[in-house]
PDB file of all heavy atoms in Angstrom:
ATOM      1  N   ALA A  40      98.748  91.883 101.855  1.00  0.00           N
ATOM      2  CA  ALA A  40      97.435  91.713 102.452  1.00  0.00           C
ATOM      3  C   ALA A  40      96.367  92.257 101.503  1.00  0.00           C
ATOM      4  O   ALA A  40      95.400  91.569 101.267  1.00  0.00           O
ATOM      5  CB  ALA A  40      97.307  92.395 103.783  1.00  0.00           C
ATOM      6  N   VAL A  44      92.582  90.901  98.854  1.00  0.00           N
ATOM      7  CA  VAL A  44      91.234  91.480  99.076  1.00  0.00           C
ATOM      8  C   VAL A  44      90.580  91.799  97.752  1.00  0.00           C
ATOM      9  O   VAL A  44      91.150  92.541  96.950  1.00  0.00           O
ATOM     10  CB  VAL A  44      91.327  92.741  99.945  1.00  0.00           C
ATOM     11  CG1 VAL A  44      89.910  93.368 100.105  1.00  0.00           C
ATOM     12  CG2 VAL A  44      91.930  92.466 101.288  1.00  0.00           C
ATOM     13  N   LEU A 179      98.204 100.059 110.868  1.00  0.00           N
ATOM     14  CA  LEU A 179      97.795  98.788 110.292  1.00  0.00           C
ATOM     15  C   LEU A 179      97.432  97.837 111.432  1.00  0.00           C
ATOM     16  O   LEU A 179      98.126  97.794 112.445  1.00  0.00           O
ATOM     17  CB  LEU A 179      98.928  98.160 109.451  1.00  0.00           C
ATOM     18  CG  LEU A 179      99.409  99.011 108.297  1.00  0.00           C
ATOM     19  CD1 LEU A 179     100.613  98.373 107.625  1.00  0.00           C
ATOM     20  CD2 LEU A 179      98.329  99.246 107.259  1.00  0.00           C
ATOM     21  N   GLY A 180      96.370  97.066 111.234  1.00  0.00           N
ATOM     22  CA  GLY A 180      95.918  96.084 112.204  1.00  0.00           C
ATOM     23  C   GLY A 180      96.726  94.831 112.123  1.00  0.00           C
ATOM     24  O   GLY A 180      97.674  94.695 111.356  1.00  0.00           O
ATOM     25  N   ASP A 182      95.966  92.185 110.724  1.00  0.00           N
ATOM     26  CA  ASP A 182      95.869  91.617 109.396  1.00  0.00           C
ATOM     27  C   ASP A 182      96.592  92.462 108.311  1.00  0.00           C
ATOM     28  O   ASP A 182      96.536  92.164 107.168  1.00  0.00           O
ATOM     29  CB  ASP A 182      94.376  91.501 108.970  1.00  0.00           C
ATOM     30  CG  ASP A 182      93.659  92.796 108.966  1.00  0.00           C
ATOM     31  OD1 ASP A 182      94.232  93.849 109.288  1.00  0.00           O
ATOM     32  OD2 ASP A 182      92.440  92.798 108.677  1.00  0.00           O
ATOM     33  N   HIS A 183      97.324  93.478 108.811  1.00  0.00           N
ATOM     34  CA  HIS A 183      98.136  94.324 107.945  1.00  0.00           C
ATOM     35  C   HIS A 183      97.294  95.284 107.056  1.00  0.00           C
ATOM     36  O   HIS A 183      97.868  95.833 106.107  1.00  0.00           O
ATOM     37  CB  HIS A 183      99.147  93.553 107.141  1.00  0.00           C
ATOM     38  CG  HIS A 183     100.031  92.628 107.921  1.00  0.00           C
ATOM     39  ND1 HIS A 183     100.875  93.073 108.878  1.00  0.00           N
ATOM     40  CD2 HIS A 183     100.104  91.248 107.956  1.00  0.00           C
ATOM     41  CE1 HIS A 183     101.516  92.069 109.423  1.00  0.00           C
ATOM     42  NE2 HIS A 183     101.029  90.978 108.897  1.00  0.00           N
ATOM     43  N   LEU A 184      95.992  95.407 107.335  1.00  0.00           N
ATOM     44  CA  LEU A 184      95.172  96.328 106.603  1.00  0.00           C
ATOM     45  C   LEU A 184      94.895  97.538 107.507  1.00  0.00           C
ATOM     46  O   LEU A 184      94.992  97.490 108.747  1.00  0.00           O
ATOM     47  CB  LEU A 184      93.854  95.619 106.228  1.00  0.00           C
ATOM     48  CG  LEU A 184      93.991  94.547 105.179  1.00  0.00           C
ATOM     49  CD1 LEU A 184      92.672  93.852 104.962  1.00  0.00           C
ATOM     50  CD2 LEU A 184      94.528  95.052 103.828  1.00  0.00           C
ATOM     51  N   PRO A 185      94.552  98.694 106.907  1.00  0.00           N
ATOM     52  CA  PRO A 185      94.425  99.899 107.730  1.00  0.00           C
ATOM     53  C   PRO A 185      93.322  99.897 108.762  1.00  0.00           C
ATOM     54  O   PRO A 185      92.202  99.428 108.478  1.00  0.00           O
ATOM     55  CB  PRO A 185      94.114 100.969 106.616  1.00  0.00           C
ATOM     56  CG  PRO A 185      94.702 100.457 105.362  1.00  0.00           C
ATOM     57  CD  PRO A 185      94.433  98.942 105.459  1.00  0.00           C
ATOM     58  N   VAL A 186      93.664 100.432 109.903  1.00  0.00           N
ATOM     59  CA  VAL A 186      92.643 100.726 110.930  1.00  0.00           C
ATOM     60  C   VAL A 186      92.629 102.266 111.264  1.00  0.00           C
ATOM     61  O   VAL A 186      91.705 102.734 111.931  1.00  0.00           O
ATOM     62  CB  VAL A 186      92.806  99.913 112.213  1.00  0.00           C
ATOM     63  CG1 VAL A 186      92.697  98.454 111.950  1.00  0.00           C
ATOM     64  CG2 VAL A 186      94.242 100.197 112.814  1.00  0.00           C
ATOM     65  N   TYR A 205      85.282  96.234 109.523  1.00  0.00           N
ATOM     66  CA  TYR A 205      85.758  95.748 108.248  1.00  0.00           C
ATOM     67  C   TYR A 205      85.282  94.291 107.976  1.00  0.00           C
ATOM     68  O   TYR A 205      85.373  93.436 108.864  1.00  0.00           O
ATOM     69  CB  TYR A 205      87.280  95.751 108.235  1.00  0.00           C
ATOM     70  CG  TYR A 205      87.948  95.029 107.031  1.00  0.00           C
ATOM     71  CD1 TYR A 205      87.996  95.599 105.791  1.00  0.00           C
ATOM     72  CD2 TYR A 205      88.420  93.699 107.239  1.00  0.00           C
ATOM     73  CE1 TYR A 205      88.540  94.890 104.723  1.00  0.00           C
ATOM     74  CE2 TYR A 205      88.960  93.014 106.210  1.00  0.00           C
ATOM     75  CZ  TYR A 205      89.003  93.633 104.922  1.00  0.00           C
ATOM     76  OH  TYR A 205      89.608  92.933 103.872  1.00  0.00           O
TER      77      TYR A 205
END
Side-chain angles (χ1 to χ4, degrees):
V44 178
L179 304 174
D182 58 0
H183 306 297
L184 293 173
V186 295
Y205 169 80

